[in-house]
Amino acid sequence: MREKSVEDRQQELANLLRAAGHAHHQAFIAVNGDDPEWPEWYARYLAAPLAHILGTPLRTAQLAATLRDLDDEMRRVAPSAEWTLYYAVRLLEIAGRWKAGVAPISGQPSQ
């Protein structure tokens, strides 16, 4: 079985993030998606499938902090980007740092 390409892994992550976004919207439909603690919700929802895709164990708190940082980063450097693909690309980059034991977000995203 061949190893997945980077593009395949990015698309798989983007699809997972879209599914999480839909599930979050459904969970918070009564308040029109308003959830100030959304990173924690997403982290709980995503931790297991994301760990499988990224090939590294994830702590929910670590993932929630990373999601919050990614939100801030994207608003700063790529506000018009499609969020699921932006997060997918960055999460693949960050996963390599997690595997190496380095902090989740350090420095700017690769160009």
Side-chain angles (χ1 to χ4, degrees):
M1 183 175 198
R2 74 172 181 87
E3 188 172 320
K4 290 180 182 178
S5 71
V6 171
E7 291 81 14
D8 289 343
R9 292 180 73 211
Q10 288 172 351
Q11 194 57 53
E12 184 178 17
L13 278 172
N15 290 340
L16 176 62
L17 291 164
R18 274 186 213 96
H22 179 73
H24 183 265
H25 178 75
Q26 292 302 308
F28 289 86
I29 202 162
V31 291
N32 198 29
D34 185 37
D35 176 19
E37 301 302 320
W38 68 267
E40 290 76 14
W41 188 96
Y42 273 79
R44 287 188 304 275
Y45 185 93
L46 292 168
L50 200 53
H52 177 73
I53 293 170
L54 296 175
T56 188
L58 300 174
R59 291 186 324 270
T60 303
Q62 174 190 39
L63 181 54
T66 298
L67 292 170
R68 189 173 303 280
D69 289 346
L70 282 174
D71 182 59
D72 291 342
E73 175 187 289
M74 189 180 125
R75 289 174 192 273
R76 215 176 42 255
V77 302
S80 62
E82 200 278 309
W83 77 271
T84 59
L85 188 55
Y86 185 90
Y87 280 42
V89 169
R90 290 292 288 129
L91 284 168
L92 285 172
E93 293 173 356
I94 293 163
R97 294 186 205 145
W98 283 335
K99 289 178 184 179
V102 179
I105 302 246
S106 58
Q108 294 298 315
S110 65
Q111 301 297 326

